[in-house]
Amino acid sequence: MEVSVGTAALALALLLLPLLYERCGSFRFFCKMGFYNGWILLLALVAIPLCALRGRDVENMKIIRGLMQHVKRLYGIRMEVRGAHNFPPRQPYVVVSNHQSSLDLLGMMEVLPDRCVPIAKRELLYMGAVGVVCWLGGIIFIDRKRTHDAISTMAEAAHTMLSQDVRVWVFPEGTRNHSGSMLPFKRGAFHLAVQAQVPVVPIVISSYQHFYSKRERRFTQDVWGTGTCGAGG
Ligand SMILES: CCCCCCCCCCCCCCCCC(=O)SCCNC(=O)CCNC(=O)[C@H](O)C(C)(C)COP(=O)(O)OP(=O)(O)OC[C@H]1O[C@@H](n2cnc3c(N)ncnc32)[C@H](O)[C@@H]1OP(=O)(O)O
Ligand SMILES: CCCCCCCC/C=C\CCCCCCCC(=O)OC[C@@H](O)COP(=O)(O)O
């Protein structure tokens, strides 16, 4: 039986990859994050036709949330939610929350209230299917480099919150921060709450330093991370 060089190389790679995954933490980290992004992209492709039936509508966030909720299980992450009863039941509000990495999506989808949309940097719009889903979910996009435009978008959001009974989720640090402390807050979330005359609901996504670190390329499976989201009114 003849085996071509290509087939032999493929067989060798297939044998070596699991070994590399087992032995090399950095390789494992990149595989896990690659799968995270790839899986979300795939979920976005599923979500697009479902959300498109309604068009751009905050109710689509329920579909997005529903499709995202199993992702934590793929990574052995167990979430513990505290204080969810503190969300005001019948009025719009501004959620402010810390932002460590793209894994925060898992914490957000665990507690995302009905009719609540995040404010996101406009670059997310250009992430292919993910951008399309974000748009269909009614996510509010701001251009962080154009403060004046961002302020107008947020003024519009204040109006929409009241006229369409929408809650808004803001990461007031304005960027991801995995340092263990908080960056100084940007002011937009608080202007928004004052303009709409609605309460601010703080949420903390607890540090996942013990199971995830981008800097150290560590994303372990053996330690169960507990994302704690506490809402205080
Ligand atoms: C199943 C399918 C799956 C598919 C995919 C699933 C995806 C699911 C969706 C998930 C999406 C998650 C998205 C998460 C994305 C997270 C992010 O993108 S974080 C980055 C973007 N967010 C923010 O930046 C929000 C926070 N930023 C602000 O609020 C800022 O204040 C700002 C409005 C952007 C302005 O920024 P900047 O100029 O840098 O900073 P400031 O110092 O705060 O403001 C300057 C100046 O302006 C005044 N001001 C600010 N806002 C207002 C306002 N709304 N009204 C009036 N004035 C305002 C502020 O007071 C300052 O003036 P001062 O005189 O110095 O006080
Ligand atoms: C045609 C282009 C195709 C591109 C395909 C890209 C595929 C990417 C697939 C899935 C990405 C899933 C994660 C999306 C949500 C990420 C939310 C997030 O964490 O955004 C970062 C933002 O908070 C702060 O940004 P910076 O820290 O300031 O930077």
Side-chain angles (χ1 to χ4, degrees):
M1 190 179 71
E2 269 184 46
V3 179
S4 72
V5 179
T7 316
L10 186 68
L12 192 68
L14 287 177
L15 277 173
L16 283 181
L17 285 181
L19 202 69
L20 199 61
Y21 185 85
E22 202 53 47
R23 295 284 167 88
C24 176
S26 297
F27 182 70
R28 206 159 47 235
F29 177 84
F30 286 121
C31 285
K32 284 185 168 185
M33 288 317 286
F35 181 80
Y36 181 73
N37 290 331
W39 191 246
I40 289 178
L41 200 55
L42 210 70
L43 290 172
L45 290 171
V46 174
I48 287 174
L50 300 176
C51 294
L53 291 172
R54 275 202 196 97
R56 180 163 157 88
D57 191 321
V58 294
E59 285 293 327
N60 282 332
M61 286 310 294
K62 280 189 193 146
I63 297 177
I64 296 170
R65 188 181 170 207
L67 282 169
M68 284 288 296
Q69 278 191 329
H70 69 283
V71 178
K72 59 181 181 289
R73 280 183 218 110
L74 302 178
Y75 288 89
I77 294 171
R78 188 168 50 85
M79 301 262 182
E80 193 183 298
V81 177
R82 294 190 204 145
H85 58 276
N86 288 320
F87 282 119
R90 272 179 294 278
Q91 69 171 119
Y93 44 85
V94 176
V95 171
V96 290
S97 156
N98 59 323
H99 191 18
Q100 300 172 70
S101 80
S102 62
L103 286 191
D104 288 337
L105 266 189
L106 304 182
M108 174 189 268
M109 293 305 163
E110 195 68 12
V111 296
L112 192 77
D114 284 349
R115 301 191 65 74
C116 181
V117 287
I119 286 191
K121 59 177 184 181
R122 73 194 292 270
E123 289 85 340
L124 284 191
L125 250 184
Y126 306 114
M127 289 174 91
V130 170
V132 175
V133 172
C134 288
W135 185 82
L136 286 168
I139 287 176
I140 300 163
F141 295 99
I142 55 167
D143 186 341
R144 293 179 294 185
K145 289 185 213 88
R146 293 170 185 259
T147 302
H148 186 74
D149 291 355
I151 290 175
S152 319
T153 307
M154 289 178 89
E156 254 173 62
H159 183 259
T160 310
M161 286 176 83
L162 298 173
S163 61
Q164 295 175 32
D165 186 31
V166 170
R167 293 98 180 98
V168 174
W169 183 307
V170 186
F171 292 107
E173 291 169 283
T175 186
R176 288 166 288 188
N177 167 36
H178 193 47
S179 69
S181 63
M182 298 287 279
L183 298 174
F185 283 0
K186 303 279 186 184
R187 299 184 177 88
F190 309 99
H191 279 291
L192 179 61
V194 170
Q195 280 163 15
Q197 287 293 293
V198 296
V200 172
V201 178
I203 291 194
V204 176
I205 302 174
S206 62
S207 169
Y208 33 73
Q209 193 77 41
H210 58 291
F211 71 95
Y212 173 90
S213 164
K214 186 176 179 183
R215 195 167 36 84
E216 296 164 22
R217 292 175 187 157
R218 178 167 51 78
F219 192 171
T220 55
Q221 195 173 14
D222 46 345
V223 181
W224 279 47
T226 307
T228 308
C229 304

